[in-house]
C-alpha cells in the first residue's frame, strides 16, 4: 500500500474490553481504536482528487511544488483529527476506590485539568480548541488520571459542538464510575466565528455540566471552580 495512505486493512492494536470481548493488547496508546473507518485506497485517491478541484477553484495553485501534496496532507490531517469516531469509552478501566465510607466520600473531589483539546465544528468543519476541566466524586470506583485525558480526546476528535463534548464526558463518567457527582467545564475559542468575520476580537465560550451531588451542593460547585482557577481557569470562583 502507498505509504501516503492510512493503514485501513484492519483495526489497529488496542487494549481493553469491548462489551464482553477482550481486544488484543499490544499498544496501550491505541487503547480506543476499536471501530476503524473503512476507506479503500481507491476512495482515498478519489477524495484527494475532489479536494484538489476544490482548492484550485478557491485559488490555490495546487500544481506548484509546495502545494502538490496539499490535498493529500489536508485529507490525512482531517482523518487524524476525527479519530475519535474509532473509539469506545467502554474501554476505560475503573478501579476500586480506597474510600471506606463516611461523609468525606461524598465531598472529596478528583479534579483533572487543564486538559488541552482540539475539535472540528460540525457546522463549518473549522477547529475550535481550548481546555477541559473534569471532576468527579468517587463512590465505589476511580479512574487513572490519564484516562480522563483520553476520554476528553476521544470525544473531541470528532465533528462536534462544545456543549455536546461536555455532555458526553459527563454522561460517560456517570455510566463508567457511578460516582456521587460529576463536573465538566470546557473553555474554547471557535475559529468558525473568528475566521469568518463574525467576531473581530478573540473571545472564548464556556460551558459547564453537572451531575449528582454537584447539582445539589453550591459550595461543592464553588470548590470545583476554585480548583480549576488554581490550574489556570480565569473568571470563575
Amino acid at each position: 500500500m502507498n505509504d501516503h495512505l492510512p493503514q485501513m486493512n484492519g483495526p489497529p492494536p488496542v487494549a481493553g474490553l469491548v462489551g464482553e470481548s477482550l481486544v488484543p493488547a499490544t499498544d496501550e496508546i491505541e487503547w480506543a481504536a476499536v471501530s476503524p473507518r473503512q476507506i479503500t485506497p481507491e476512495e482515498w485517491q478519489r477524495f484527494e482528487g475532489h479536494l484538489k478541484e476544490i482548492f484550485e477553484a478557491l485559488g490555490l495553485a495546487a500544481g506548484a511544488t509546495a502545494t502538490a501534496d496539499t490535498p493529500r496532507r489536508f485529507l490525512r490531517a482531517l482523518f487524524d483529527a476525527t479519530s475519535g469516531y474509532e473509539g469506545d469509552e467502554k474501554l476505560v478501566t475503573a478501579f476500586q476506590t480506597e474510600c471506606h465510607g463516611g461523609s468525606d466520600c461524598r465531598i472529596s473531589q478528583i479534579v483533572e485539568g487543564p486538559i488541552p483539546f482540539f475539535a472540528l465544528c460540525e457546522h463549518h468543519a473549522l477547529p475550535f480548541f481550548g481546555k477541559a476541566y473534569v471532576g468527579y466524586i468517587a463512590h465505589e470506583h476511580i479512574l487513572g488520571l490519564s484516562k480522563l485525558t483520553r476520554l476528553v480526546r476521544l470525544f473531541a476528535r470528532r465533528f462536534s459542538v462544545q456543549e455536546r463534548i461536555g455532555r458526553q464526558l459527563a454522561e460517560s463518567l456517570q455510566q463508567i464510575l457511578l460516582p456521587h457527582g460529576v463536573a465538566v467545564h470546557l473553555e474554547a475559542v471557535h475559529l468558525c466565528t473568528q475566521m469568518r468575520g463574525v467576531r473581530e476580537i478573540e473571545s472564548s465560550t464556556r460551558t459547564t455540566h453537572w451531575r449528582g451531588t454537584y447539582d445539589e451542593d453550591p459550595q461543592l460547585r464553588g470548590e470545583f471552580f476554585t480548583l480549576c482557577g488554581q490550574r489556570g481557569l480565569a473568571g470563575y470562583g
Side-chain angles (χ1 to χ4, degrees):
M1 181 179 290
N2 191 321
D3 61 1
H4 290 167
L5 301 177
Q7 301 298 317
M8 299 180 185
N9 290 333
V14 296
L17 287 170
V18 184
E20 297 180 354
S21 301
L22 181 65
V23 180
T26 57
D27 187 351
E28 186 178 359
I29 295 176
E30 299 295 339
W31 68 283
V34 296
S35 303
R37 293 163 288 178
Q38 300 299 323
I39 303 176
T40 67
E42 293 74 21
E43 290 174 324
W44 192 267
Q45 291 177 352
R46 187 172 76 251
F47 299 158
E48 285 186 23
H50 294 327
L51 285 171
K52 183 175 182 293
E53 291 183 28
I54 293 171
F55 288 156
E56 287 178 331
L58 295 177
L60 178 71
T65 302
T67 59
D69 279 344
T70 297
R72 175 184 61 80
R73 295 191 190 103
F74 178 84
L75 186 56
R76 180 71 216 203
L78 199 61
F79 184 83
D80 291 343
T82 54
S83 62
Y85 286 114
E86 301 185 355
D88 187 341
E89 64 273 20
K90 298 184 185 70
L91 280 175
V92 175
T93 302
F95 303 95
Q96 292 292 321
T97 183
E98 296 184 6
C99 182
H100 301 293
S103 60
D104 185 61
C105 291
R106 293 189 61 84
I107 61 175
S108 293
Q109 303 183 63
I110 299 170
V111 179
E112 176 68 0
I115 301 171
F117 72 90
F118 300 85
L120 292 173
C121 169
E122 68 178 23
H123 301 136
H124 300 95
L126 289 172
F128 64 96
F129 57 92
K131 299 175 181 178
Y133 298 81
V134 181
Y136 67 91
I137 302 168
H139 181 36
E140 296 182 354
H141 296 89
I142 59 174
L143 287 179
L145 291 180
S146 65
K147 302 304 188 296
L148 296 175
T149 297
R150 290 177 177 182
L151 277 175
V152 171
R153 292 174 179 171
L154 175 68
F155 292 119
R157 290 176 180 171
R158 301 176 180 181
F159 293 102
S160 191
V161 293
Q162 181 173 333
E163 294 81 0
R164 183 184 305 144
I165 294 173
R167 175 175 51 79
Q168 288 173 324
L169 283 168
E171 291 176 353
S172 292
L173 286 170
Q174 189 74 28
Q175 293 169 2
I176 294 168
L177 295 174
L178 299 176
H180 290 299
V182 172
V184 177
H185 179 84
L186 291 90
E187 181 173 1
V189 173
H190 294 248
L191 294 189
C192 57
T193 59
Q194 305 289 331
M195 294 178 67
R196 294 171 52 246
V198 178
R199 298 179 182 174
E200 297 297 329
I201 60 174
E202 181 175 321
S203 61
S204 60
T205 300
R206 295 165 175 169
T207 54
T208 306
H209 296 262
W210 310 109
R211 296 291 189 279
T213 306
Y214 284 99
D215 280 324
E216 307 162 2
D217 191 337
Q219 183 176 346
L220 198 60
R221 295 197 296 270
E223 291 175 359
F224 171 75
F225 279 131
T226 297
L227 288 170
C228 293
Q230 293 171 353
R231 301 179 182 193
L233 174 61
Y236 286 85

